[in-house]
Amino acid sequence: MPLRAKSISVRKNKHLILDNISISLKKGSICSVIGPNGAGKSTLISALSGEQAPEVGEVYLENLPLGELSLEQLARTRAVMEQNNNIVFDFSVEEVLGMGWVRDALGSSPLATEAVSKLADLCQVSPFLKRSFLSLSGGEKQRVQFCRALIQIWQPPGESHTKYLLLDEPTSNLDISHELAVMNILKKIGEEGVGVLIAFHDLNLASYFSDEIYLLNEGEVVASGPPSEVIRSDILSEVYDSSISVEERKGKLHVYTH
Amino acid sequence: MAAISVKVCHMVFLVVFLLLALILAFSVGSVPLSVFSVFSGSATDVERIIFAEIRAPRVVLAAIVGASLASSGAALQGVFRNPLGDPGLIGVSGGAALGAATAIFLGSAFNFSGWPVLYSIPLAAILGASFVTFFLYKFTSYLGHFSIITVLLVGIAINAFSTVGIMGFQYLSDDAQLRSLVFWLMGSFARAEWETVIPAACIILSAVIMLCRQTRALDQLQLGESQAFHLGVDVKKLQRFIILSAAVSVGVGVALSGIIGFVGLVVPHLIRLTLGVTHRILVPASAILGAALMISADLASRTLIAPIELPVGIVTSTIGAPFFLWLIARAKH
């Protein structure tokens, strides 16, 4: 029962941003979307989330078009982490995390408190729960937003609805150790059955952690499949218009430029 | 835990402040009254009449107008995601003012007296506010998108239009009309009567309650419009709802009391500084503080240089304008 886009095209201000794209995000798999700036990665996330309705084609969640689901149903099934960290008022980190709670209208029920504290520990944001969100560094803000997205799809032990997580550049501001921590969390929740889709610039991270990669260029899928089929020197060099080499070491692909 | 108990103290303080302001405003005036003797029945008939027919409606009107301006300001700042948002910004106060100015001008031109005078000004102001709200709604629907920028720009245009209209009426008015017009434009609770205060109180209280029910969505909106959508908030519907509720509540308030500036701007900021930014607390607490401050400002306006009465708008703007400057300076840092 995947989250899938069937032949979608998206136009923004008369520009064709996505052109006839089909993509399927399966339960429990980690799927990366890579491609140069302006390839349409963020728009693809926006379309898969239901925010941007495609001009042609349809996005389905468990065989139902997204348009037939209520906003609450969508919010309980998939969480989205965007690149935007812009908050005007001086909320505490704890309050920002609480906004991710969508299972009931409160945000302060015992279950919500439990989820917030568990996931804050997991994402290593517990030390600054009481601090002002505005006082955090870019990387810390990103970890808080990541944690908030996890809170949105959290379910108590015993429940096993399929959930999806769509992330736009979740590690762009993180240092190498937190980057790894985030990716390991994603791997773990992937194994627990969550379908994870990540828009990436880091080709190495994409190739290490993905089950499947979609390479986008100018709104079209240029290549897709397991990392070994997409992370190839000839394909990447052409799409990124520079000389890119791929080497295999200890069973992992390494991408570097000359 | 400590932070929670500090907030509880602030909340208790707000309620105590409101009660004290109420008791003081009921008691102090050109005829001093004891609230306790009025309620215990030991007051004279004259005192009872002054309390029931003059002072009580005035104080209640001040309270509901203060609550309406402050809670609408808090909610609008949330919707615009801008701490400088104010009910005046979306043009509603301007529309109401133009409606009232028209009524004042035409009313004395046709020499009306009795009930038309009592109801014509508030009705014209409500009509003006409703027209602006309806226009805002229709115009943004016509444009096909409901963006906050559009609403603000339309608000600026409406304000400019109503300023021109009011200036026109001022230019054409005779002395008596001009006096009445200026008095109304500066804001006053002096003409409060139960016939208009009770329906206004019902409308404003329901609007405040409806605003209080949207506070979680308002919080989530602070993450950005698309993130709020991802969290299940119908953003367009929320924006429309808040703007319409604020317009109705402010329109009714302006209709009865004239234009009173800065309360919608200042009160939510005071609450944010003490009780935090969560709308679940911000909106109701703003309503309470708005009521308490407005009662106090009205008390000041009628006692500071008694027997002359200052328009309450002068009191609020004298305090509010420097505060606004301080706010801009603070926002810059």
Side-chain angles (χ1 to χ4, degrees):
Chain A
M1 295 280 200
L3 172 65
R4 69 192 163 94
K6 199 176 164 195
S7 312
I8 58 165
S9 296
V10 171
R11 207 178 282 275
K12 275 186 190 168
N13 294 339
K14 294 181 183 163
H15 281 282
L16 194 61
I17 310 287
L18 297 179
D19 187 7
N20 194 21
I21 283 192
S22 295
I23 184 168
S24 171
L25 176 59
K26 292 178 202 74
K27 175 184 174 173
S29 80
I30 296 187
C31 175
S32 291
V33 178
I34 56 172
N37 292 334
K41 302 187 289 294
S42 300
T43 307
L44 179 59
I45 286 187
S46 173
L48 284 172
S49 74
E51 190 194 8
Q52 173 84 53
E55 188 182 66
V56 184
E58 189 83 69
V59 180
Y60 297 90
L61 180 67
E62 310 191 350
N63 291 330
L64 273 176
L66 286 192
E68 288 182 17
L69 293 161
S70 73
L71 291 181
E72 288 79 16
Q73 283 173 312
L74 272 178
R76 284 173 197 184
T77 313
R78 59 96 184 94
V80 184
M81 177 187 169
E82 301 175 312
Q83 295 193 54
N84 165 30
N85 269 329
N86 188 11
I87 296 183
V88 178
F89 296 112
D90 195 13
F91 285 94
S92 72
V93 169
E94 201 172 22
E95 286 165 340
V96 171
L97 292 180
M99 291 175 201
W101 185 255
V102 292
R103 293 174 65 92
D104 52 62
L106 258 177
S108 55
S109 61
L111 208 57
T113 318
E114 186 194 331
V116 168
S117 106
K118 265 189 187 167
L119 292 167
D121 281 342
L122 182 70
C123 301
Q124 302 170 33
V125 297
S126 308
F128 37 84
L129 273 185
K130 301 286 175 199
R131 265 178 65 189
S132 147
F133 181 80
L134 297 178
S135 75
L136 302 182
S137 74
E140 289 169 334
K141 282 181 184 167
Q142 204 165 25
R143 276 151 58 201
V144 171
Q145 295 281 21
F146 176 68
C147 185
R148 185 193 50 70
L150 292 185
I151 289 169
Q152 190 180 343
I153 52 165
W154 182 83
Q155 38 192 346
E159 270 185 37
S160 57
H161 299 289
T162 306
K163 307 265 182 166
Y164 298 92
L165 191 54
L166 312 173
L167 308 143
D168 196 353
E169 298 278 347
T171 59
S172 58
N173 289 321
L174 300 186
D175 61 55
I176 197 157
S177 89
H178 286 111
E179 185 177 81
L180 204 63
V182 163
M183 293 313 299
N184 282 327
I185 293 170
L186 289 176
K187 205 169 165 184
K188 183 168 156 272
I189 65 166
E191 283 160 7
E192 288 167 8
V194 175
V196 180
L197 181 124
I198 315 166
F200 260 133
H201 272 302
D202 191 323
L203 302 178
N204 283 313
L205 273 187
S207 73
Y208 294 163
F209 286 97
S210 310
D211 299 313
E212 200 172 9
I213 297 181
Y214 286 82
L215 173 60
L216 252 58
N217 193 24
E218 293 175 356
E220 291 180 48
V221 176
V222 182
S224 67
S228 59
E229 287 178 21
V230 180
I231 304 296
R232 278 171 34 190
S233 154
D234 54 336
I235 298 178
L236 294 177
S237 295
E238 193 187 328
V239 168
Y240 285 91
D241 197 20
S242 49
S243 164
I244 295 176
S245 298
V246 179
E247 265 182 24
E248 195 179 330
R249 269 183 253 150
K250 295 178 187 167
K252 281 181 176 173
L253 297 171
H254 292 266
V255 180
Y256 55 91
T257 53
H258 297 290
Chain B
M1 209 55 204
I4 291 173
S5 51
V6 169
K7 285 187 179 178
V8 170
C9 285
H10 283 137
M11 204 71 188
V12 171
F13 170 79
L14 278 186
V15 175
V16 171
F17 178 29
L18 176 61
L19 290 176
L20 280 181
L22 275 172
I23 293 173
L24 210 61
F26 280 142
S27 317
V28 179
S30 47
V31 177
L33 287 177
S34 159
V35 183
F36 304 103
S37 67
V38 170
F39 283 109
S40 67
S42 61
T44 64
D45 281 351
V46 175
E47 284 175 336
R48 255 203 303 279
I49 290 170
I50 290 176
F51 177 80
E53 299 300 325
I54 299 174
R55 211 160 285 167
R58 179 173 185 149
V59 173
V60 170
L61 179 62
I64 56 168
V65 169
S68 141
L69 288 172
S71 60
S72 303
L76 287 173
Q77 286 162 16
V79 153
F80 291 125
R81 299 178 66 216
N82 188 332
L84 302 180
D86 183 78
L89 268 187
I90 53 173
V92 175
S93 309
L98 184 58
T102 315
I104 291 169
F105 184 76
L106 293 182
S108 57
F110 289 109
N111 226 349
F112 284 140
S113 62
W115 70 266
V117 175
L118 176 66
Y119 281 109
S120 66
I121 298 175
L123 276 181
I126 292 176
L127 220 62
S130 315
F131 178 76
V132 167
T133 312
F134 185 72
F135 178 76
L136 211 59
Y137 183 83
K138 277 288 168 196
F139 194 71
T140 48
S141 307
Y142 160 76
L143 291 176
H145 63 281
F146 189 85
S147 91
I148 289 302
I149 302 288
T150 316
V151 172
L152 286 177
L153 291 177
V154 173
I156 290 172
I158 292 171
N159 278 333
F161 180 74
S162 52
T163 308
V164 167
I166 291 167
M167 275 161 62
F169 283 129
Q170 283 176 327
Y171 184 72
L172 295 172
S173 293
D174 60 31
D175 276 359
Q177 287 171 325
L178 192 61
R179 196 171 167 69
S180 171
L181 204 59
V182 168
F183 190 68
W184 193 84
L185 287 175
M186 288 188 206
S188 167
F189 298 116
R191 280 164 298 187
E193 292 181 46
W194 287 125
E195 286 89 333
T196 47
V197 169
I198 289 174
C202 295
I203 295 172
I204 286 176
L205 281 181
S206 7
V208 170
I209 291 168
M210 287 203 282
L211 287 179
C212 287
R213 294 179 57 147
Q214 302 296 326
T215 51
R216 178 151 172 81
L218 268 178
D219 276 347
Q220 290 172 324
L221 185 63
Q222 303 314 311
L223 295 169
E225 286 184 20
S226 58
Q227 195 57 68
F229 170 86
H230 298 318
L231 288 165
V233 178
D234 190 336
V235 175
K236 302 287 172 227
K237 202 169 141 193
L238 175 73
Q239 290 173 331
R240 249 179 220 163
F241 181 84
I242 300 273
I243 290 176
L244 290 184
S245 311
V248 170
S249 142
V250 171
V252 170
V254 171
L256 294 191
S257 59
I259 296 198
I260 299 166
F262 291 103
V263 175
L265 190 71
V266 168
V267 172
H269 281 276
L270 289 174
I271 298 293
R272 279 197 199 93
L273 289 176
T274 50
L275 286 167
V277 295
T278 319
H279 288 87
R280 183 167 48 89
I281 296 169
L282 176 66
V283 176
S286 293
I288 296 174
L289 183 62
L293 278 182
M294 195 64 101
I295 294 170
S296 313
D298 181 48
L299 183 61
S301 81
R302 59 190 163 93
T303 52
L304 272 183
I305 50 166
I308 298 171
E309 199 176 304
L310 279 170
V312 69
I314 289 186
V315 178
T316 60
S317 296
T318 312
I319 303 167
F323 186 87
F324 187 62
L325 284 177
W326 173 76
L327 214 66
I328 295 169
R330 193 171 168 268
K332 194 170 174 280
H333 297 301

